[in-house]
Amino acid sequence: MKKAILLSFLFLSPIYVTLAQHILKSDFLYNDEIHTSHYMYIRSEAKTVTDEWSTYLNKIGKVDEKKGEITVTDIKKSGLSGYLDKVVSYVTENDNFVVINTLFLDEDGRSLDIAQFDKKGLEDFFYEFYDIAYHNEEVRMAEADLEWSEDLMDIAEKDKGKAERAVEANIRAQERLGKKINQTPEELSKVIEKKDEVFQQLLRSEETEKTEELQEEVEKQEKKLVKLKDKNERDADRLDKREEEFPELTEELFKARENLEKAKQVVESKKVVLQELKANK
């Protein structure tokens, strides 16, 4: 089985001073032999970069990926080197970064010497992919940002709906309580009339048994009267409370609507950013 272990204790140096920030060079253990690896760091996920890197390598030859090792054979005219016969690459994750190690081999399986490369071709090879990967990462971040903004918009939509329902419930409660309060005088009048009627019968009654029944009925009507008055007072208190709550509820509704419009504006802005990024691919 082929082994690939980065010899981190060996020297690490930039290929060129201008490329020191991204493209580095160090010794690398491959097939139990020391080779030279050209590599760079990309802030992304290993699986994502592996897929993008494999696709990118298709432009220089036939790509085969097996057990984490990406090989390129049948090398086309790549602009890298006339001595290039095979490319072996590994994508590994290191904390928040992905490392792309790449070995450029000649027909004898030896690493190419720096003098055997076309300097500009080597620069373009790595930096072109870096730009692609960076752009794709920007697109993914923009998509995540849009999704997050849409989630906030959904929350704002729910808040608006909740505020609308609260206002509607308050209005319905006011209407219901107002109707009850308006009906109370009529109900009170009926009870008073009934009480008065029974009382008059009581005054005229001369039978002891009948008198007791009428007294009980008078007391019953009196309790009904008290109950109606108490209920009317409670309904009036509830109505006052609903009326006091109404201005605050409507203010919350207007604020919720305003917040939703702002959230929609942000989402549209994020969509524009994503469209522009995709258009500039």
Side-chain angles (χ1 to χ4, degrees):
M1 180 184 293
K2 295 182 178 180
K3 300 178 181 179
I5 305 173
L6 180 63
L7 300 183
S8 58
F9 59 89
L10 293 177
F11 76 91
L12 178 149
S13 63
I15 301 176
Y16 308 110
V17 175
T18 56
L19 302 184
Q21 291 184 350
H22 300 299
I23 306 174
L24 306 171
K25 182 180 72 170
S26 74
D27 284 357
F28 196 90
L29 187 59
Y30 170 69
N31 278 356
D32 298 324
E33 297 289 339
I34 294 294
H35 287 268
T36 300
S37 170
H38 299 86
Y39 63 100
M40 64 180 174
Y41 295 99
I42 296 177
R43 189 182 291 274
S44 187
E45 297 178 351
K47 185 181 183 307
T48 299
V49 173
T50 298
D51 293 341
E52 294 171 346
W53 182 238
S54 297
T55 300
Y56 179 73
L57 290 176
N58 275 303
K59 75 174 193 172
I60 65 169
K62 180 182 177 182
V63 178
D64 181 49
E65 183 181 353
K66 187 176 182 181
K67 295 183 179 180
E69 180 179 292
I70 304 171
T71 59
V72 186
T73 54
D74 297 336
I75 301 297
K76 305 172 186 176
K77 187 177 180 181
S78 62
L80 289 167
S81 172
Y83 300 93
L84 183 60
D85 182 69
K86 181 180 180 181
V87 175
V88 179
S89 189
Y90 300 90
V91 178
T92 56
E93 201 153 3
N94 184 359
D95 293 330
N96 295 324
F97 292 88
V98 170
V99 187
I100 302 178
N101 279 284
T102 307
L103 284 62
F104 300 96
L105 310 176
D106 63 17
E107 60 183 6
D108 296 320
R110 296 173 302 191
S111 293
L112 297 184
D113 184 82
I114 193 65
Q116 294 176 295
F117 285 100
D118 179 288
K119 177 181 176 180
K120 188 177 185 306
L122 186 60
E123 290 178 359
D124 292 345
F125 177 73
F126 279 104
Y127 273 94
E128 182 179 326
F129 176 73
Y130 183 87
D131 289 342
I132 292 172
Y134 184 80
H135 176 267
N136 290 343
E137 189 65 18
E138 276 190 325
V139 170
R140 284 188 291 271
M141 288 189 290
E143 288 173 339
D145 193 23
L146 173 59
E147 184 177 347
W148 180 73
S149 298
E150 288 175 335
D151 288 342
L152 292 180
M153 184 179 69
D154 290 342
I155 292 173
E157 183 75 55
K158 290 177 182 178
D159 288 343
K160 182 182 80 74
K162 183 179 178 181
E164 286 175 342
R165 289 191 295 274
V167 170
E168 290 170 359
N170 181 279
I171 292 172
R172 286 196 300 271
Q174 287 193 52
E175 291 174 347
R176 184 176 63 255
L177 290 168
K179 186 176 181 180
K180 286 182 177 181
I181 292 171
N182 291 334
Q183 290 173 343
T184 300
E186 184 179 346
E187 293 176 356
L188 284 171
S189 178
K190 289 180 180 179
V191 174
I192 291 171
E193 288 177 3
K194 179 66 175 176
K195 176 186 171 184
D196 185 59
E197 179 185 336
V198 175
F199 186 70
Q200 294 299 324
Q201 291 178 19
L202 177 62
L203 291 177
R204 294 193 298 268
S205 176
E206 296 179 356
E207 299 178 11
T208 304
E209 186 177 342
K210 184 68 173 176
T211 298
E212 289 177 354
E213 290 180 3
L214 290 170
Q215 284 178 335
E216 289 178 1
E217 183 64 25
V218 168
E219 291 175 0
K220 180 181 177 182
Q221 294 302 319
E222 181 63 30
K223 288 179 181 179
K224 213 183 259 192
L225 191 61
V226 171
K227 187 176 180 181
L228 275 172
K229 289 180 179 179
D230 290 343
K231 182 177 179 298
N232 187 62
E233 289 178 0
R234 289 195 300 272
D235 287 341
D237 289 341
R238 292 192 186 106
L239 179 58
D240 288 342
K241 185 178 179 181
R242 296 294 185 272
E243 290 174 344
E244 290 173 1
E245 291 173 345
F246 187 74
E248 182 178 348
L249 291 174
T250 53
E251 183 179 349
E252 290 176 357
L253 174 57
F254 294 147
K255 185 66 176 176
R257 287 176 175 173
E258 182 182 348
N259 288 341
L260 177 58
E261 289 306 311
K262 290 178 180 178
K264 287 181 178 179
Q265 181 177 335
V266 170
V267 167
E268 290 306 312
S269 177
K270 299 296 183 183
K271 286 181 179 179
V272 171
V273 170
L274 183 57
Q275 289 170 356
E276 289 178 348
L277 280 172
K278 289 182 176 181
N280 292 329
K281 185 173 181 181

